[in-house]
Amino acid sequence: MPPILTVFERSPDRGRGLARDMRVRWALEEVGQRYDVRTVSFEAMKQAPHRARSPFGQIPTLDDGDLVLFESGAIVLHIAQRHAGLLPAGSDARSRAVMWMFAALNTVEPPIVEREAATWSERGKPWQAEHLAMLDARVRVRLDELSRHLADRDWLEREFSAGDLLMVTVLRRLEGSGLLEAGPSLPDYIARGEARPAYRRAFEAQRTLFESASPP
Amino acid sequence: MPPILTVFERSPDRGRGLARDMRVRWALEEVGQRYDVRTVSFEAMKQAPHRARSPFGQIPTLDDGDLVLFESGAIVLHIAQRHAGLLPAGSDARSRAVMWMFAALNTVEPPIVEREAATWSERGKPWQAEHLAMLDARVRVRLDELSRHLADRDWLEREFSAGDLLMVTVLRRLEGSGLLEAGPSLPDYIARGEARPAYRRAFEAQRTLFESASPP
């Protein structure tokens, strides 16, 4: 039985591949693992049957045999540890790759998500613009730091890893925001990720699902 | 050579054990691994020599032989994978424990850190109270969800793991905020973590360092 990935029935990003299942799809494509998809609506995602699998009411989840996992970072690491292709050989190099997974999700992503949340949760507040400027400044600090690290590198370490996979998906949330220019190395880095055949296959799969759920 | 942990020269929490080195100290104590400590000042933490080790200018870092790691979650996982005591036996159970590490750092911690940042970065803004109420509500959602999961459990899974270690340190940031009552199971859960001998040793070590750096 291939693993089963639970994803949005209709992704709120309208097929742009920004939902967190994209990370897992990409990881599964990198390692050449077929998978099935189960969809969940927004309403069902917050109800008891889904919460029994995902206590915070989120997607994605992965069923792999008897194991049920939530948290996209944990699912990507689980896949990376059971298949070749997402972590380097050598125990020290693996620890460095896993380090970048945590950096993507605990240092780079939080201010990006926070800024994104403020664009809608504070809509109409007279102080939204002032607050967004503060949040933008925090995002720019992280982009500048990351960009310096990537200035003379194609990937975060010597070769592409699950750390790059997560970092690219985190940075993609800023496409169209005008903030990525704070990190001059970052657009090319994202483009290198998006050019990978496994990325393209994952992107098309989620796009096709969105389009079939939303006829024109 | 024991591993070397880099920590704040003078922790801004005044010895309350809320800085992220506490997680690593606790993990090292749980597995019985001796370690040495190197201190770094706030100024040095943002300068080139430290940034060559930690591109985002953060503590902690860990030197373990030739390997240098940053990101507290990654360091705890590295320790957990090289020593017994922080991850269960069995590959599925290990994936579940690692899943909780990511949940602590990517789902529960970000809104807590965001709220904490707003208490100082928005000081004096006429809209601070309105915004803090919104942030408090988001934290309460996560605490309620986590508390329901813990209602009939001592730990996140069958036994204490690195997932609990990170979750307890994340929740401790809320002590004194009045928010923890949104999760009725959480105070006892935190207390179970704090009662562990390894936690006590780690706490005393960071407290002693703070006191020696800050004579009365």
Side-chain angles (χ1 to χ4, degrees):
Chain A
M1 279 269 293
I4 303 166
L5 180 65
T6 303
V7 308
F8 283 133
E9 187 173 74
R10 271 189 78 174
S11 179
D13 72 356
R14 307 191 57 77
R16 291 171 60 213
L18 300 176
R20 287 181 174 81
D21 62 285
M22 177 64 197
R23 302 166 178 181
V24 180
R25 291 176 183 271
W26 185 4
L28 289 162
E29 293 287 352
E30 288 283 349
V31 304
Q33 170 67 57
R34 279 191 49 236
Y35 62 100
D36 292 331
V37 166
R38 177 195 294 143
T39 62
V40 62
S41 68
F42 272 112
E43 300 68 43
M45 195 172 71
K46 299 297 181 186
Q47 287 163 6
H50 184 72
R51 281 191 188 274
R53 307 159 46 76
S54 180
F56 301 105
Q58 298 165 321
I59 63 97
T61 64
L62 189 79
D63 288 51
D64 189 3
D66 291 336
L67 175 65
V68 178
L69 292 177
F70 60 91
E71 284 292 329
S72 59
I75 297 172
V76 169
L77 182 54
H78 169 80
I79 294 164
Q81 287 177 328
R82 297 211 178 175
H83 303 268
L86 285 169
L87 292 174
S91 145
D92 281 4
R94 289 171 85 90
S95 286
R96 291 277 303 179
V98 171
M99 172 189 84
W100 284 109
M101 297 179 68
F102 281 96
L105 300 188
N106 198 228
T107 293
V108 180
E109 184 170 55
I112 292 174
V113 167
E114 185 57 32
R115 177 193 170 278
E116 201 174 291
T119 62
W120 53 265
S121 68
E122 299 171 7
R123 196 167 290 155
K125 304 282 185 195
W127 43 270
Q128 184 185 31
E130 182 182 1
H131 185 225
L132 275 177
M134 294 165 69
L135 296 173
D136 284 356
R138 275 161 49 190
V139 170
R140 283 199 185 93
V141 168
R142 293 307 183 209
L143 297 181
D144 171 62
E145 291 166 331
L146 181 63
S147 181
R148 286 171 196 270
H149 177 78
L150 284 164
D152 52 1
R153 291 176 174 89
D154 276 356
W155 305 112
L156 294 164
E157 298 281 311
R158 198 162 310 179
E159 54 186 281
F160 175 83
S161 79
D164 295 291
L165 186 155
L166 292 181
M167 193 68 84
V168 167
T169 62
V170 164
L171 295 173
R172 283 196 65 233
R173 302 182 78 131
L174 291 171
E175 284 176 354
S177 70
L179 286 171
L180 283 170
E181 60 200 19
S185 318
L186 302 181
D188 283 355
Y189 173 64
I190 297 170
R192 279 191 291 278
E194 291 177 338
R196 293 178 71 86
Y199 175 94
R200 299 305 319 165
R201 291 194 294 274
F203 186 88
E204 290 309 323
Q206 63 80 33
R207 166 88 84 178
T208 300
L209 176 67
F210 175 76
E211 287 173 353
S212 69
S214 309
Chain B
M1 280 268 294
I4 303 166
L5 181 65
T6 303
V7 307
F8 283 133
E9 187 174 74
R10 272 190 78 175
S11 179
D13 72 355
R14 306 190 59 76
R16 292 171 61 213
L18 300 177
R20 287 180 174 82
D21 62 284
M22 177 64 196
R23 303 166 176 181
V24 180
R25 292 176 183 272
W26 185 4
L28 290 162
E29 293 286 354
E30 288 282 350
V31 304
Q33 170 67 57
R34 278 190 50 234
Y35 62 101
D36 291 332
V37 165
R38 176 196 295 143
T39 63
V40 62
S41 68
F42 272 112
E43 298 70 42
M45 194 171 70
K46 299 297 181 186
Q47 287 163 5
H50 184 71
R51 281 191 188 272
R53 306 159 46 76
S54 181
F56 300 104
Q58 298 165 321
I59 63 98
T61 65
L62 189 78
D63 289 51
D64 189 2
D66 291 334
L67 174 65
V68 179
L69 292 177
F70 61 92
E71 285 291 329
S72 59
I75 297 171
V76 169
L77 182 55
H78 169 82
I79 294 164
Q81 287 177 327
R82 297 212 177 173
H83 303 268
L86 285 169
L87 291 174
S91 143
D92 281 4
R94 289 171 85 91
S95 286
R96 291 277 303 178
V98 171
M99 172 189 83
W100 284 108
M101 297 178 68
F102 281 96
L105 300 187
N106 197 229
T107 293
V108 180
E109 185 170 53
I112 292 174
V113 167
E114 186 55 34
R115 177 193 170 277
E116 200 175 293
T119 62
W120 54 264
S121 67
E122 298 171 8
R123 196 167 290 155
K125 304 281 184 194
W127 43 270
Q128 184 185 31
E130 182 182 0
H131 185 225
L132 276 178
M134 295 165 68
L135 295 172
D136 284 358
R138 276 163 47 190
V139 170
R140 283 198 185 94
V141 168
R142 294 307 185 209
L143 298 181
D144 172 61
E145 291 166 331
L146 181 63
S147 181
R148 286 169 195 269
H149 177 79
L150 284 164
D152 52 1
R153 291 174 173 91
D154 276 357
W155 305 112
L156 294 164
E157 299 281 311
R158 198 163 308 181
E159 54 187 279
F160 176 83
S161 79
D164 295 291
L165 185 153
L166 291 181
M167 193 68 85
V168 167
T169 61
V170 164
L171 295 173
R172 283 196 65 234
R173 302 181 79 131
L174 291 171
E175 285 176 354
S177 70
L179 287 171
L180 283 170
E181 60 201 20
S185 318
L186 302 180
D188 283 355
Y189 174 65
I190 297 170
R192 280 191 290 277
E194 292 177 339
R196 293 178 70 87
Y199 175 94
R200 299 306 318 164
R201 290 193 295 273
F203 186 88
E204 290 309 324
Q206 62 80 34
R207 164 88 86 181
T208 300
L209 175 66
F210 175 77
E211 287 173 352
S212 70
S214 309

Short mmCIF file of all heavy atoms in Angstrom, two decimals, chain B residues 1 6 28 32 43 48 64 79 93 110 135 151 188 190-191 193 199:
data_model
loop_
_atom_site.label_atom_id
_atom_site.label_comp_id
_atom_site.label_asym_id
_atom_site.label_seq_id
_atom_site.Cartn_x
_atom_site.Cartn_y
_atom_site.Cartn_z
N MET B 1 36.90 14.67 23.99
CA MET B 1 36.44 16.06 24.25
C MET B 1 34.93 16.10 24.37
O MET B 1 34.22 15.71 23.44
CB MET B 1 36.86 16.97 23.07
CG MET B 1 38.28 17.40 23.10
SD MET B 1 38.46 19.00 23.96
CE MET B 1 37.58 20.09 22.85
N THR B 6 27.32 26.77 23.19
CA THR B 6 27.45 28.23 23.26
C THR B 6 26.15 28.82 23.76
O THR B 6 25.07 28.51 23.24
CB THR B 6 27.78 28.81 21.87
OG1 THR B 6 28.98 28.20 21.40
CG2 THR B 6 28.01 30.32 21.96
N LEU B 28 21.15 17.05 27.13
CA LEU B 28 22.45 16.47 27.47
C LEU B 28 22.39 15.81 28.85
O LEU B 28 22.97 14.73 29.06
CB LEU B 28 23.53 17.55 27.43
CG LEU B 28 23.88 18.06 26.02
CD1 LEU B 28 24.61 19.40 26.08
CD2 LEU B 28 24.72 17.03 25.26
N GLY B 32 22.91 11.86 29.92
CA GLY B 32 24.13 11.67 30.71
C GLY B 32 25.41 12.06 29.99
O GLY B 32 26.46 11.44 30.22
N GLU B 43 26.46 41.47 21.68
CA GLU B 43 27.13 42.15 20.57
C GLU B 43 27.86 41.12 19.71
O GLU B 43 27.72 41.09 18.49
CB GLU B 43 28.15 43.18 21.11
CG GLU B 43 27.54 44.30 21.94
CD GLU B 43 27.02 43.82 23.30
OE1 GLU B 43 27.71 42.99 23.97
OE2 GLU B 43 25.91 44.23 23.69
N ALA B 48 30.61 38.79 12.81
CA ALA B 48 31.02 37.79 11.83
C ALA B 48 31.54 36.48 12.44
O ALA B 48 31.15 35.41 11.95
CB ALA B 48 32.04 38.39 10.87
N ASP B 64 30.41 19.47 18.33
CA ASP B 64 30.52 18.06 18.73
C ASP B 64 31.58 17.45 17.81
O ASP B 64 31.30 17.08 16.67
CB ASP B 64 29.16 17.38 18.55
CG ASP B 64 29.14 15.97 19.14
OD1 ASP B 64 30.16 15.56 19.72
OD2 ASP B 64 28.10 15.29 19.02
N ILE B 79 21.43 15.01 19.49
CA ILE B 79 21.78 14.34 20.75
C ILE B 79 20.90 13.09 20.93
O ILE B 79 21.39 12.01 21.30
CB ILE B 79 21.57 15.31 21.94
CG1 ILE B 79 22.58 16.46 21.84
CG2 ILE B 79 21.69 14.58 23.27
CD1 ILE B 79 22.24 17.66 22.72
N ALA B 93 7.53 4.56 16.38
CA ALA B 93 7.43 5.36 17.61
C ALA B 93 8.43 6.52 17.58
O ALA B 93 8.15 7.62 18.07
CB ALA B 93 7.67 4.47 18.83
N PRO B 110 5.60 29.31 17.57
CA PRO B 110 5.54 30.60 16.87
C PRO B 110 4.53 31.60 17.43
O PRO B 110 4.89 32.76 17.66
CB PRO B 110 5.27 30.20 15.41
CG PRO B 110 5.95 28.86 15.29
CD PRO B 110 5.64 28.19 16.61
N LEU B 135 -3.42 38.27 19.56
CA LEU B 135 -2.34 37.27 19.68
C LEU B 135 -2.64 36.28 20.80
O LEU B 135 -2.39 35.07 20.67
CB LEU B 135 -1.00 37.98 19.92
CG LEU B 135 -0.52 38.86 18.76
CD1 LEU B 135 0.71 39.65 19.19
CD2 LEU B 135 -0.21 38.01 17.53
N ALA B 151 -5.09 15.42 27.98
CA ALA B 151 -6.06 15.27 29.08
C ALA B 151 -5.94 13.92 29.77
O ALA B 151 -6.10 13.81 30.99
CB ALA B 151 -7.47 15.47 28.55
N ASP B 188 0.12 20.88 34.97
CA ASP B 188 0.65 19.62 35.51
C ASP B 188 1.67 18.99 34.57
O ASP B 188 2.64 18.36 35.01
CB ASP B 188 -0.49 18.62 35.75
CG ASP B 188 -1.29 18.94 37.01
OD1 ASP B 188 -0.89 19.88 37.74
OD2 ASP B 188 -2.30 18.26 37.25
N ILE B 190 3.68 20.61 32.50
CA ILE B 190 4.94 21.35 32.67
C ILE B 190 5.62 20.92 33.97
O ILE B 190 6.84 20.70 34.00
CB ILE B 190 4.66 22.87 32.69
CG1 ILE B 190 4.07 23.32 31.34
CG2 ILE B 190 5.93 23.66 33.02
CD1 ILE B 190 3.54 24.75 31.34
N ALA B 191 4.83 20.77 35.03
CA ALA B 191 5.40 20.39 36.33
C ALA B 191 6.06 19.01 36.25
O ALA B 191 7.11 18.77 36.87
CB ALA B 191 4.32 20.42 37.41
N GLY B 193 7.52 17.77 33.67
CA GLY B 193 8.81 17.99 33.01
C GLY B 193 9.83 18.60 33.96
O GLY B 193 10.97 18.13 34.07
N TYR B 199 16.15 17.82 34.22
CA TYR B 199 15.71 19.21 34.08
C TYR B 199 16.29 20.05 35.21
O TYR B 199 16.79 21.16 34.98
CB TYR B 199 14.16 19.28 34.11
CG TYR B 199 13.67 20.71 34.08
CD1 TYR B 199 13.33 21.32 32.88
CD2 TYR B 199 13.57 21.46 35.26
CE1 TYR B 199 12.90 22.64 32.85
CE2 TYR B 199 13.16 22.78 35.25
CZ TYR B 199 12.82 23.37 34.04
OH TYR B 199 12.42 24.68 34.02
#
